Amino acid sequence: MDALLVLLAALALGGLVFLPWMRRRRAVRDTRQGLMVASDPMAGYGFVPLDQLDVRLPGPDQELEDALAEIRRTHDWRPAAALLQSTGDDWERRWQRVQTLAGAAAFELAEGAQEGGRRTGGIWLRTWRSEAPKDPGGAQTHAQFLVVQALRDPGSQDFRMILEEARTVCHEAGLLAPGSPIPYIIELAAARGLGDRPADYEELWSKVVQRAPQHMGAHLAALPYWSQKWHGSRQEAEEFAERAAAGAPSGTLLPALPLFAVYEHLPEANMVRSLYQSAVVERAIEGAHFALREAPADHPMAPHVRHLLVWFLVRAERYAEAMEQLRLVDGHVGAVPWSYGRSPAAEYAAYRALAIAGWEQLGGTSTGFPQDRP
């Protein structure tokens, strides 16, 4: 079960959207002292214990957690179908839920193969597609499942074949729900892996924008194509992020997008404080703060922004601000940057420990720290 939680963390939109980036691990080594503080929930701050951190999701989604538990117990597809039907056209939330359901099926398939060579894992998804072929939720989850399968092993001889199949299923899903951006967002990852020409990728992106112009998850899915590690450059990625942020209406999270572009193009190893206190980084941090202030408190993507903010704020030694973000996001850690590491919970806890230590060095105390949760 622990392995399932780790995989789902990598496949949630801190992970699945970013999985194609094939990011190297950036982590502060867990010191004995750091882990002692981080794993002590109570250290007076009311934080969740290390062994109880939920690595599947960036933030709470009880309906999704209940559906996953029921699927795991019964191997029935209907809880997944009912969940997506009830999600309706809440596109940000639907995108995250499709990713997580597809990740669960992918894990079960791998788990079944390991436990006797039988490919029976994730059978609920195959049954869903067979028994309800016109269900757009099933088609979307199937397409995302294929993307996950391909990106787990980009060096496989079947890589392109699986991505081409994913693209075909995306088109089927698009026909089943013409107004939905989800099939086109899923196709962004397939197109990136297949190396689509910039003009073709722009055309695909335009289909997403027509349906959900302020979709934060879609922008995060598209950003890697223009990054240095895929088919663009640092300048192209940053220009994409800056254009989206500058043109975003109030109430969206797009002003936080430059923070993700900066993160993607940081040096491989750089612990120099001045880098994180530079004008570029400070501007990106302030953009993220602004986005969070203006967007609805329950925006499905807000936890993703908060997790990355914690990482930057700790590096910049802005501990009071980091503690405020920790207060709002603590408990779920399935997001970038933690999901890039082998142990997301431990890496999050190490940064949490650093934030606490920095807060106390500046005179902060647990008694003066608000422990209310959203």
Side-chain angles (χ1 to χ4, degrees):
M1 189 61 177
D2 289 343
L4 171 62
L5 299 182
V6 171
L7 180 66
L8 290 184
L11 298 179
L13 185 60
L16 184 69
V17 165
F18 291 93
L19 182 61
W21 298 27
M22 297 184 293
R23 288 285 294 170
R24 68 273 191 193
R25 183 182 179 186
R26 292 195 194 98
V28 170
R29 295 297 178 188
D30 301 334
T31 63
R32 180 179 300 177
Q33 179 180 4
L35 281 180
M36 284 177 62
V37 174
S39 61
D40 178 2
M42 308 298 94
Y45 291 94
F47 287 136
V48 174
L50 173 63
D51 61 357
Q52 294 178 27
L53 291 170
D54 188 335
V55 303
R56 299 172 300 175
L57 300 170
D61 185 339
Q62 192 60 53
E63 291 179 336
L64 175 55
E65 293 176 30
D66 291 346
L68 288 171
E70 188 67 9
I71 292 167
R72 186 79 172 172
R73 185 181 69 83
T74 64
H75 305 288
D76 187 0
W77 57 268
R78 289 172 181 81
L83 176 72
L84 294 184
Q85 185 174 8
S86 68
T87 308
D89 59 0
D90 183 347
W91 301 130
E92 296 275 17
R93 199 175 308 278
R94 187 181 185 92
W95 167 227
Q96 295 199 93
R97 287 175 169 181
V98 165
Q99 291 182 92
T100 306
L101 291 169
F107 171 81
E108 290 174 16
L109 180 61
E111 183 184 49
Q114 290 174 358
E115 293 179 353
R118 296 175 300 173
R119 301 179 67 83
T120 57
I123 193 170
W124 58 269
L125 177 54
R126 297 195 293 277
T127 306
W128 187 2
R129 291 290 283 143
S130 173
E131 295 183 356
K134 301 300 184 183
D135 185 342
Q140 292 164 10
T141 306
H142 182 203
Q144 185 63 64
F145 167 82
L146 291 169
V147 169
V148 172
Q149 290 295 92
L151 293 173
R152 286 180 62 193
D153 185 9
S156 167
Q157 62 180 1
D158 297 328
F159 178 71
R160 291 190 63 84
M161 180 183 70
I162 297 173
L163 286 182
E164 290 288 5
E165 184 181 356
R167 173 171 268 166
T168 298
V169 179
C170 284
H171 294 171
E172 294 174 7
L175 292 174
L176 292 172
S180 172
I182 305 302
Y184 303 97
I185 300 174
I186 297 169
E187 192 178 349
L188 289 170
R192 183 172 66 247
L194 291 168
D196 277 19
R197 297 177 308 160
D200 294 331
Y201 203 80
E202 288 280 5
E203 182 180 356
L204 173 60
W205 176 241
S206 71
K207 295 177 181 178
V208 175
V209 173
Q210 288 169 11
R211 293 163 174 79
Q214 281 84 51
H215 196 290
M216 181 65 171
H219 282 78
L220 290 173
L223 181 62
Y225 180 89
W226 287 287
S227 74
Q228 188 173 341
K229 294 212 315 264
W230 283 90
H231 308 293
S233 64
R234 175 174 182 165
Q235 180 179 347
E236 288 177 277
E238 291 181 350
E239 287 178 352
F240 171 76
E242 294 291 348
R243 281 197 306 271
S250 177
T252 79
L253 283 174
L254 291 179
L257 191 61
L259 188 68
F260 290 85
V262 170
Y263 178 75
E264 172 59 12
H265 292 91
L266 285 172
E268 181 71 31
N270 194 319
M271 293 293 290
V272 179
R273 180 179 64 178
S274 60
L275 173 65
Y276 300 97
Q277 296 177 344
S278 66
V280 171
V281 172
E282 286 192 358
R283 187 165 57 249
I285 288 174
E286 294 316 308
H289 276 310
F290 172 80
L292 288 169
R293 286 195 303 269
E294 296 296 316
D298 62 348
H299 194 295
M301 290 298 298
H304 290 282
V305 178
R306 295 191 189 282
H307 280 292
L308 192 58
L309 259 180
V310 168
W311 191 91
F312 272 99
L313 291 169
V314 169
R315 290 271 179 127
E317 300 184 10
R318 295 165 64 167
Y319 300 117
E321 294 169 71
M323 290 291 284
E324 174 60 14
Q325 296 304 321
L326 286 166
R327 182 182 72 83
L328 295 170
V329 84
D330 190 66
H332 293 77
V333 298
V336 169
W338 327 119
S339 55
Y340 285 146
R342 296 178 182 176
S343 180
E347 294 184 13
Y348 166 84
Y351 271 79
R352 185 173 64 180
L354 290 171
I356 293 172
W359 161 262
E360 292 182 346
Q361 276 188 336
L362 295 173
T365 64
S366 59
T367 55
F369 183 71
Q371 297 183 17
D372 58 302
R373 295 288 184 266

